[in-house]
Amino acid sequence: MARKATRKAVDKTPDIRAVAALAKVSIATVSRTINGSPVVSDRLSKRVWQAIEQLNYFPNTQARSLVSGRSRILGIIVENITNPFFPELIQSFEEIAVANGYEILVSSSNSDPAVLTTCVRRMIERKVEGVAVLTFGEEETVLEHLTYHDIPIVLAEFRLEDPKSSTILLDYSTGIHAAIHHLVELGHRKIAYLAGPHALHSAITRENDFRSAMQSVNLPIHKDWIIECNHTLKGGVAGFEQLQKLPERPTAILCSNDMTAIGVLRAAYMRGLNVPKDLSVIGLDDIDFAEFTLPPLTTIRLSRTDLARAAFEALRLQAEEPDKAKIQREFLVSTSLVLRDSTGVPPATARS
Amino acid sequence: MARKATRKAVDKTPDIRAVAALAKVSIATVSRTINGSPVVSDRLSKRVWQAIEQLNYFPNTQARSLVSGRSRILGIIVENITNPFFPELIQSFEEIAVANGYEILVSSSNSDPAVLTTCVRRMIERKVEGVAVLTFGEEETVLEHLTYHDIPIVLAEFRLEDPKSSTILLDYSTGIHAAIHHLVELGHRKIAYLAGPHALHSAITRENDFRSAMQSVNLPIHKDWIIECNHTLKGGVAGFEQLQKLPERPTAILCSNDMTAIGVLRAAYMRGLNVPKDLSVIGLDDIDFAEFTLPPLTTIRLSRTDLARAAFEALRLQAEEPDKAKIQREFLVSTSLVLRDSTGVPPATARS
DNA sequence: GTGAAAGCGCTAACAA
DNA sequence: TTGTTAGCGCTTTCAC
């Protein structure tokens, strides 16, 4: 403060008063001009903009939000930013938010409740106007702090009691049905499923959708062919190995996520099996890398852009149009099958 | 505002006055307590903390930074958050910053000058206390806005005139020398280099280090064996194909980054070449995925944690200890060789 | 259509 | 050691 005061006026970063002085108007007029108030006359408005330009003036967002009560910051909490699924999601969320005049506060929980607590605290301290909690986990309890502070939340696949919360429902069903149909059309009848950890809502939903898809094409669900993995590459390897030990083996494997599928690809390669000649593999997510595996992975795409868009819209609604937000508290994001080279007709011996 | 005023006092989010009232002290004492001022007596301090707890009070950061002139926000601009190199960098930077009481503002420039301009504008508007510009690009001109607003900058591999800027020097040399020595020890003498785009400072530095490493082991630098690629997987494929057309082919390829190396892995596989039996490949970066390629990639690790730490320290120094910052404006980050399975002895025919 | 002035929640200078 | 008070830069009544 003191230091600031001793600086020569000329090299101080310009404030609204400086602009007002230069434009020979009141600070109220400058404020109105910046905020696009329609009452300002063209004559003054022009002078103000000129002054702003000349001084290279940027409004002080802290002061602005302090008085307006709106921070124009949205938080996004992901499970782990180094998981390739999330950066694209963050990127989209950032783009949409910035285009709409919001800033974003990113943080990863790393599936650690203590870290999540810190994340939530940071969000509250910075007075975010809403938080997208895209951890796909089960840490709902920590979120009470958010609801306590009246901060809107949007969650994936979980409904919170709080009236300021919204939910994004993921329609895995469409993509999974498409995947099963695709395999059936190729001639597969022996289809295994490497599930995600049952602690995740999303993993359970996906597994149920697999079961119903199998039923819809009248295919039997072989108990040993559904294995709970952990959504990691190593989990995929382990799942595949377990399948290999079975007397009767599937000709196709659908995986709960891409990392699992990549693990299967790798394990199959190690065993000397050719994908897709000997085995078809389908993932879920369509992470960037899916395109670059060997062979490129056929997978069920969960569009991060769509997910980000839904999350933003949910929060924007809560922040800007609370009445509408009360009515629409659920948002649907769809999935679709992306055909690449990891699926093909089953081997002749199995085709009989 | 109006709406806020009509709310019952009881459900208003508590402010410093509420805490003061409950603790029966002045707001100054509350402020002092929160900021750990040593002058507050234990008796009052205890009462204040109790009130804070009871009211679930969180200080308003906007108000705080408005008056203190310190936002405690650090910006980090990366080239592209979906590039697997960056999330880990951001993660580390976030951890360090949060541990030191700073918030971070992440944004990606996507190598687009227009987007970079927006990024910089966002940084200025939110009054960040420093920006880590880790784009590894050549967009220095846009940064003038930052220096104009007296905001400290830290850049990788580029020195800015501005006294508030610092530079992180990357010691690729150590890692590259180690890589070449490793190859030489295995028996390689024909080593190619797939360079990065010459528009990047880092790519040029890396290439020069390759040349000097080759000289230091008295190996000839074959002109056709240095090819400028673009740091993408496809670039690696193209570079490899170009090498294959040559009458005399290298037994080992060092790449300017991991994505290029992964491209080479893929192209070699397509051609039926076995890595490492027929060809050794080394990358640079050690992105997470390098561990999961087939075969796992031997690579030169550029520690994102070290980089993040250096970037944070540079900015913290500028923000908190300007005198020291004047003295230390350069930070060194080292590299090291990570041995995996993509390197081996050269094929017998070439070994002669 | 424009300006004066109050005050957002907090820190820091100054008084006591 | 504690309290009083003047702003930080801005938005937003309320007069004119």
Side-chain angles (χ1 to χ4, degrees):
Chain A
M1 245 9 25
R3 238 167 294 128
K4 224 172 181 175
T6 60
R7 288 173 65 179
K8 275 179 294 176
V10 70
D11 59 73
K12 216 179 99 175
T13 105
D15 65 359
I16 198 171
R17 261 174 283 270
V19 177
L22 184 61
K24 297 198 196 311
V25 296
S26 72
I27 62 166
T29 299
V30 177
S31 175
R32 290 195 191 100
T33 307
I34 291 170
N35 294 300
S37 161
V39 301
V40 186
S41 71
D42 281 4
R43 198 172 54 89
L44 290 199
S45 162
K46 197 174 287 175
R47 259 169 38 204
V48 169
W49 282 120
Q50 247 167 31
I52 289 177
E53 198 99 332
Q54 196 175 327
L55 292 172
N56 214 323
Y57 167 74
F58 285 60
N60 181 325
T61 28
Q62 345 244 35
R64 227 210 268 239
S65 39
L66 181 58
V67 57
S68 71
R70 295 204 51 193
S71 65
R72 295 204 76 90
I73 303 178
L74 258 22
I76 174 167
I77 303 180
V78 298
E79 185 251 324
N80 179 355
I81 195 179
T82 63
N83 174 331
F85 180 81
F86 292 111
E88 203 183 319
L89 180 62
I90 295 171
Q91 168 105 308
S92 298
F93 193 78
E94 175 188 328
E95 270 173 26
I96 301 168
V98 169
N100 285 272
Y102 285 85
E103 193 46 73
I104 66 164
L105 199 56
V106 184
S107 66
S108 7
S109 71
N110 297 324
S111 307
D112 177 343
V115 177
L116 218 212
T117 307
T118 309
C119 290
V120 168
R121 182 179 192 96
R122 287 163 56 195
M123 302 282 159
I124 296 172
E125 285 187 346
R126 295 286 167 179
K127 292 261 182 299
V128 298
E129 295 187 41
V131 181
V133 184
L134 301 172
T135 52
F136 294 84
E138 73 281 56
E139 310 94 347
E140 284 85 15
T141 53
V142 196
L143 306 180
E144 281 171 15
H145 282 107
L146 255 15
T147 57
Y148 177 90
H149 284 264
D150 239 28
I151 298 175
I153 299 178
V154 58
L155 282 169
E157 293 176 291
F158 192 79
R159 291 184 188 79
L160 236 46
E161 294 274 313
D162 188 80
K164 293 223 171 181
S165 73
S166 316
T167 302
I168 297 175
L169 265 13
L170 293 165
D171 167 30
Y172 299 118
S173 180
T174 305
I176 290 177
H177 274 76
I180 298 296
H181 278 267
H182 168 60
L183 290 175
V184 168
E185 267 176 23
L186 286 170
H188 292 272
R189 296 193 53 75
K190 302 178 180 176
I191 305 176
Y193 183 73
L194 296 188
H198 284 169
L200 260 52
H201 305 306
S202 55
I204 290 177
T205 312
R206 292 172 193 193
E207 185 172 330
N208 289 339
D209 288 337
F210 167 75
R211 289 173 192 274
S212 85
M214 290 291 275
Q215 272 166 5
S216 80
V217 291
N218 294 312
L219 245 36
I221 297 170
H222 197 313
K223 188 174 154 261
D224 293 340
W225 290 354
I226 297 193
I227 297 172
E228 181 179 347
C229 301
N230 62 359
H231 274 176
T232 67
L233 191 146
K234 280 185 184 156
V237 171
F240 173 83
E241 293 301 338
Q242 200 170 323
L243 247 22
Q244 286 298 312
K245 284 187 200 128
L246 264 28
E248 196 182 4
R249 303 206 276 255
T251 60
I253 303 177
L254 178 61
C255 303
S256 185
N257 80 341
D258 282 350
M259 286 312 279
T260 305
I262 293 172
V264 172
L265 250 33
R266 147 164 297 224
Y269 173 85
M270 296 300 206
R271 284 246 178 188
L273 288 184
N274 177 290
V275 174
K277 273 189 203 151
D278 303 319
L279 177 73
S280 287
V281 179
I282 299 183
L284 195 156
D285 277 346
D286 193 22
I287 58 175
D288 288 346
F289 208 85
E291 199 179 334
F292 303 128
T293 54
L294 274 178
L297 188 68
T298 292
T299 189
I300 297 164
R301 163 159 259 260
L302 199 185
S303 161
R304 262 78 80 209
T305 309
D306 292 352
L307 188 51
R309 202 183 305 282
F312 175 78
E313 186 53 18
L315 296 179
R316 194 195 62 77
L317 229 49
Q318 289 279 6
E320 299 178 5
E321 309 181 51
D323 293 347
K324 273 198 197 168
K326 261 172 214 147
I327 300 163
Q328 189 183 5
R329 282 183 52 205
E330 296 199 348
F331 297 77
L332 193 65
V333 170
S334 192
T335 58
S336 60
L337 187 64
V338 177
L339 294 176
R340 295 209 183 90
D341 310 334
S342 66
T343 46
V345 295
T349 49
R351 226 177 298 172
S352 61
Chain B
M1 254 354 36
R3 239 166 294 127
K4 223 172 183 177
T6 61
R7 289 173 63 180
K8 273 179 295 178
V10 70
D11 60 77
K12 216 180 100 174
T13 105
D15 64 1
I16 199 171
R17 262 173 283 269
V19 177
L22 184 62
K24 297 199 198 310
V25 297
S26 71
I27 58 167
T29 300
V30 177
S31 175
R32 289 193 194 101
T33 307
I34 291 170
N35 295 299
S37 160
V39 301
V40 186
S41 71
D42 281 4
R43 196 172 56 88
L44 290 198
S45 161
K46 197 174 284 177
R47 264 176 25 211
V48 169
W49 282 119
Q50 246 167 32
I52 289 176
E53 198 99 331
Q54 196 173 327
L55 292 172
N56 213 321
Y57 166 76
F58 285 59
N60 181 325
T61 29
Q62 345 244 37
R64 224 209 270 239
S65 36
L66 182 59
V67 57
S68 70
R70 295 205 49 194
S71 65
R72 296 204 74 92
I73 303 179
L74 258 23
I76 174 167
I77 303 181
V78 299
E79 185 250 326
N80 179 356
I81 194 178
T82 63
N83 173 331
F85 179 81
F86 292 111
E88 202 185 318
L89 180 61
I90 295 171
Q91 167 105 310
S92 297
F93 193 78
E94 174 187 330
E95 270 172 26
I96 301 167
V98 169
N100 285 272
Y102 285 85
E103 194 46 77
I104 66 163
L105 198 57
V106 184
S107 66
S108 10
S109 71
N110 296 324
S111 307
D112 177 342
V115 177
L116 217 212
T117 308
T118 309
C119 292
V120 168
R121 182 180 191 95
R122 287 164 57 196
M123 302 283 159
I124 297 171
E125 285 187 347
R126 296 284 167 181
K127 292 262 182 296
V128 298
E129 295 187 41
V131 181
V133 184
L134 300 172
T135 52
F136 294 85
E138 71 281 56
E139 310 96 347
E140 284 85 15
T141 54
V142 196
L143 305 180
E144 282 172 13
H145 282 108
L146 254 18
T147 56
Y148 177 89
H149 283 264
D150 240 27
I151 299 175
I153 299 177
V154 58
L155 283 169
E157 294 177 289
F158 192 80
R159 292 184 186 82
L160 235 47
E161 292 275 313
D162 190 80
K164 292 221 171 180
S165 73
S166 316
T167 302
I168 298 175
L169 265 14
L170 294 165
D171 167 30
Y172 298 119
S173 179
T174 304
I176 289 177
H177 273 77
I180 296 297
H181 277 267
H182 169 59
L183 290 175
V184 167
E185 266 176 22
L186 287 170
H188 294 273
R189 297 194 52 78
K190 303 177 179 177
I191 306 176
Y193 184 73
L194 296 187
H198 285 169
L200 261 51
H201 306 307
S202 54
I204 291 178
T205 313
R206 292 172 193 192
E207 187 173 328
N208 289 338
D209 288 337
F210 167 75
R211 289 174 192 274
S212 84
M214 288 292 275
Q215 272 165 6
S216 80
V217 291
N218 294 313
L219 245 35
I221 299 170
H222 197 311
K223 188 172 155 262
D224 293 339
W225 288 355
I226 297 193
I227 297 172
E228 181 179 347
C229 300
N230 61 359
H231 275 179
T232 69
L233 191 145
K234 280 185 186 156
V237 172
F240 174 83
E241 292 302 339
Q242 200 170 323
L243 247 21
Q244 286 299 308
K245 284 188 200 126
L246 263 29
E248 196 180 3
R249 303 205 278 256
T251 60
I253 303 178
L254 178 61
C255 302
S256 184
N257 80 340
D258 282 351
M259 287 310 280
T260 304
I262 292 171
V264 170
L265 250 34
R266 148 162 298 225
Y269 174 84
M270 296 298 206
R271 285 246 178 188
L273 288 185
N274 178 290
V275 174
K277 272 187 205 152
D278 303 317
L279 176 74
S280 287
V281 179
I282 299 183
L284 194 156
D285 276 347
D286 193 22
I287 59 176
D288 287 346
F289 208 85
E291 200 178 335
F292 301 128
T293 54
L294 274 178
L297 188 68
T298 291
T299 189
I300 297 162
R301 166 158 256 261
L302 199 185
S303 160
R304 264 77 81 210
T305 308
D306 292 351
L307 188 51
R309 200 182 306 280
F312 175 79
E313 185 53 18
L315 296 179
R316 194 195 61 76
L317 229 48
Q318 290 278 5
E320 300 178 3
E321 309 180 51
D323 294 345
K324 272 197 198 168
K326 262 171 215 149
I327 299 162
Q328 187 182 6
R329 285 182 51 204
E330 296 199 349
F331 298 78
L332 193 65
V333 171
S334 193
T335 58
S336 59
L337 187 64
V338 178
L339 294 177
R340 296 211 182 88
D341 309 334
S342 66
T343 44
V345 295
T349 51
R351 225 176 300 169
S352 60

